[in-house]
Amino acid sequence: MKLSINIDHIATLRQARRGDEPDPVAAAVLCELAGAHGIVCHLREDRRHINDRDVRLLRQTIKTKLDLEMAATEEIISIALDIVPDLVTLVPEKRQELTTEGGLNVTEHKKHLSTVIERFHAKNISVSLFVDPEKSQLDAAAEIHSDMVELHTGEYANARNEAERAPLLLKIQSMAEYGKKLGMRVNAGHGLNYWNVEPVASIATIDEMSIGHAVISRAVLVGLERAVKEMLELITRTRQAPI
Ligand code: PXP
């Protein structure tokens, strides 16, 4: 089980003063030193946290894997094709949202996404589609040759009690298995934290987790290296002895 850390919120803190600290590039290096397998950042259309300079420096600096989260819009696609991250994760993006709210509607935008995937593949950039754990979305993702899907765990994370949570976890589990059967790698992310991550980490068909807010929030209190190490230990231990 691999762990990629989303460092957007380091940039959010920097943007609170429109200054130059804390630097998400320095944070990425610390995450790697703590054992993270990859760094994720989301270059939004409104550049509310990560900006173009960050993505370029991250590309030059990090030694693991750069996953650029992005909307499939022409401006961001051309930046990504120029920077060549290891992986792009395509997400839906709305200006007003606080964070990515739902999965990508791959069935509806199949034609456009198929062309975008072809353009990235031509540059040897792998593509992941951030989708709700729904069969139709996974079918569409496989049909347009997505290398990977990231299953949206937000609904599971927001469940208020066990009765709500259990069926959502089962859905993630069965869709992770289904995605694997379709020949894609399966990641999971959104809203995962130190309290809800273990059941998801127990799902053997999930290759990787993408976690941001919980780790950065913990880092404010205990330091970034410790926060990353604690999450890594938690998911590694759970994978070895599933709950
Ligand atoms: N995966 C995707 C596609 C996301 O948009 C986000 C949020 O930026 C995450 C994972 C990480 O979510 P969180 O910050 O809640 O851990």
Side-chain angles (χ1 to χ4, degrees):
M1 166 66 76
K2 291 191 170 159
L3 173 66
S4 280
I5 301 290
N6 180 313
I7 52 165
D8 290 350
H9 293 297
I10 299 287
T12 302
L13 191 55
R14 175 189 63 192
Q15 295 314 107
R17 287 289 171 94
R18 305 260 187 280
D20 48 22
E21 62 179 12
D23 192 333
V25 182
V29 172
L30 285 179
C31 290
E32 288 190 320
L33 287 173
H37 302 94
I39 301 298
V40 189
C41 66
H42 185 172
L43 185 65
R44 283 183 165 266
E45 187 195 7
D46 62 9
R47 308 297 197 272
R48 71 173 71 156
H49 36 53
I50 293 291
N51 59 35
D52 303 55
R53 166 263 184 209
D54 299 334
V55 186
R56 286 184 195 282
L57 280 184
L58 284 167
R59 171 69 292 180
Q60 290 167 28
T61 310
I62 66 166
K63 303 269 187 289
T64 53
K65 178 184 78 175
L66 176 62
D67 175 0
L68 180 64
E69 226 183 277
M70 53 175 280
T73 59
E74 200 46 50
E75 187 214 357
I76 309 290
I77 291 169
S78 60
I79 292 171
L81 288 170
D82 187 39
I83 288 173
V84 193
D86 301 289
L87 171 70
V88 293
T89 298
L90 301 180
V91 299
E93 192 176 298
K94 295 189 214 108
R95 263 180 185 267
Q96 301 79 4
E97 68 192 0
L98 289 178
T99 178
T100 314
E101 280 165 3
L104 204 55
N105 193 340
V106 189
T107 53
E108 198 180 308
H109 302 289
K110 211 153 75 176
K111 206 162 160 223
H112 171 61
L113 291 172
S114 165
T115 318
V116 174
I117 290 175
E118 271 174 28
R119 289 170 71 189
F120 283 125
H121 281 172
K123 278 222 149 187
N124 282 328
I125 302 169
S126 300
V127 181
S128 176
L129 301 179
F130 182 57
V131 293
D132 291 326
E134 301 289 345
K135 227 172 173 176
S136 58
Q137 299 297 343
L138 294 174
D139 284 333
E143 224 178 286
I144 58 175
H145 307 295
S146 186
D147 305 283
M148 207 177 303
V149 283
E150 181 179 330
L151 297 178
H152 192 335
T153 50
E155 212 186 341
Y156 159 82
N158 289 334
R160 285 164 305 176
N161 52 50
E162 197 44 39
E164 267 183 32
R165 199 172 299 117
L168 295 168
L169 180 67
L170 274 180
K171 199 159 127 189
I172 293 168
Q173 180 170 6
S174 66
M175 287 306 110
E177 282 158 14
Y178 189 64
K180 266 274 136 93
K181 259 190 225 146
L182 292 174
M184 295 180 288
R185 287 196 3 238
V186 179
N187 294 353
H190 213 287
L192 296 175
N193 60 36
Y194 296 84
W195 292 271
N196 65 21
V197 78
E198 286 168 283
V200 183
S202 296
I203 301 172
T205 39
I206 293 179
D207 298 303
E208 185 169 325
M209 309 246 179
S210 172
I211 306 182
H213 191 263
V215 172
I216 303 305
S217 301
R218 187 156 179 80
V220 171
L221 304 179
V222 304
L224 189 51
E225 287 198 62
R226 181 169 148 194
V228 174
K229 277 187 180 151
E230 284 178 358
M231 181 56 82
L232 256 175
E233 278 163 23
L234 192 56
I235 64 171
T236 309
R237 198 182 335 123
T238 311
R239 180 50 67 92
Q240 283 160 1
I243 56 169

